[in-house]
Amino acid sequence: MTDTDFTSAEDHVSIGPMEPLSPEEIARYQRHILLPEIGGAGQQKLKSARVLVIGAGGLGAPVLQYLAAAGVGTLGIADDDRVSLSNLQRQVIHDSGTIGELKTESAAFSIARLNPHVKVIRFEERFSAESARRHLSGFDLLIDGSDNFDTRYTAADAAEKAGIPLVTGAVGRFDGSVTVLKPYEAAEDGTQNPTYRDLFPERPPEGLIPVCAETGVIGALTGVIGTMMAMEAIKLVTGTGEPLVGRLLLYDALAARFDVIRYKRRRAKAAAAQ
């Protein structure tokens, strides 16, 4: 594992000190800076941001590529897997020359070629409650590109405890979903934002939802969902637009259709019984 020093939870701030952009960076990010909604200030926020991505696989690959291209200053990657030939149909941050390498290492080399201004911190381990306790306070935003419910619940709990936003996505065969969680904050109407368990109260029984190794997944689908996750992250960092808080965006690739489902914080059982 490649690590670095992190601030404690008490010292954690949402975005680090703003750093000036170099002339090369201004030229690189010109199309962002031209947007009034982003501008130079937004680009500086991206440069100062620290984002931890769970998984350098199908979803993590486009997330990492687009956040690196966008100029996110520090990207953490948590993954203990190695690149295999069957990954390359969808995990486009890797290539034939990196088969057998750690995914964190392969992804870090790809990011360095794409944007040398991005700092990469590699965690060659599965994301867990223990690793979150040790590392998460050093980041402003968590993105979950994992492929199992255990990690998704762990990521949601860890982000809520740390008081940082979580962007989470999932794919299966020809469909996918994205949402954003900020349960530590209240919505405009004063009600508390929903948690992951308000959306999925319980883990599905073991084996109920098969993994893509058993059922398959269309490769380009992970690009659609992963890119949308990166877009939500950029919105959160720059304060632009309306993130998918309390909204689950669904994508049906075969029908070329998007749908949005709204969900809210569930009332406590005691309150509901009154």
Side-chain angles (χ1 to χ4, degrees):
M1 180 181 69
T2 302
D3 207 334
T4 187
D5 293 331
F6 292 112
T7 58
S8 67
E10 291 77 15
D11 295 331
H12 178 74
V13 293
S14 59
I15 295 292
M18 302 282 275
E19 298 181 28
L21 301 172
S22 68
E24 196 276 341
E25 288 175 302
I26 292 173
R28 177 183 288 268
Y29 308 125
Q30 183 185 28
R31 300 302 190 276
H32 274 178
I33 296 170
L34 287 172
L35 295 168
E37 297 84 353
I38 304 293
Q43 194 61 52
Q44 286 179 292
K45 290 180 180 179
L46 289 167
K47 181 176 180 177
S48 300
R50 300 159 296 183
V51 179
L52 177 59
V53 179
I54 302 173
L59 294 175
V63 167
L64 290 165
Q65 287 175 313
Y66 271 102
L67 292 187
V72 170
T74 301
L75 287 172
I77 311 172
D79 198 313
D80 66 345
D81 200 7
R82 292 180 179 271
V83 181
S84 66
L85 182 60
S86 64
N87 296 151
L88 303 185
Q89 162 256 13
R90 64 200 177 282
Q91 300 180 18
V92 294
I93 202 168
H94 313 297
D95 58 57
S96 298
T98 63
I99 292 173
E101 290 184 7
L102 288 163
K103 287 185 179 179
T104 54
E105 182 179 15
S106 172
F109 280 129
S110 180
I111 290 169
R113 290 193 295 270
L114 177 61
N115 190 347
H117 299 285
V118 177
K119 176 183 179 182
V120 175
I121 304 172
R122 293 161 41 200
F123 302 101
E124 277 107 31
E125 58 183 315
R126 291 183 67 85
F127 185 85
S128 65
E130 171 58 24
S131 65
R133 186 191 65 78
R134 288 185 282 114
H135 307 310
L136 196 53
S137 62
F139 293 92
D140 314 305
L141 172 65
L142 181 63
I143 301 181
D144 181 13
S146 64
D147 60 359
N148 65 89
F149 273 96
D150 284 343
T151 302
R152 290 169 190 158
Y153 279 97
T154 299
D157 291 343
E160 181 177 6
K161 185 175 181 180
I164 63 173
L166 170 68
V167 179
T168 182
V171 293
R173 287 173 43 83
F174 294 96
D175 58 84
S177 63
V178 184
T179 192
V180 174
L181 295 161
K182 299 178 75 175
Y184 50 88
E185 289 183 356
E188 290 184 359
D189 62 2
T191 61
Q192 204 70 16
N193 286 328
T195 70
Y196 190 72
R197 284 176 173 78
D198 292 316
L199 186 58
F200 300 107
E202 297 180 358
R203 290 173 173 81
E206 189 71 26
L208 178 65
I209 300 179
V211 297
C212 71
E214 300 172 355
T215 63
V217 62
I218 191 73
L221 172 66
T222 62
V224 173
I225 300 301
T227 302
M228 292 174 63
M229 293 167 70
M231 185 67 235
E232 290 301 302
I234 291 170
K235 286 160 59 181
L236 287 163
V237 171
T238 61
T240 302
E242 182 184 356
L244 286 168
V245 178
R247 295 182 295 152
L248 179 68
L249 190 149
L250 303 171
Y251 174 60
D252 180 341
L254 293 181
R257 184 178 64 215
F258 287 94
D259 295 294
V260 175
I261 297 174
R262 293 186 177 272
Y263 61 100
K264 296 181 179 181
R265 172 86 63 140
R266 295 171 183 263
R267 293 186 299 169
K269 291 183 178 180
Q274 294 178 354

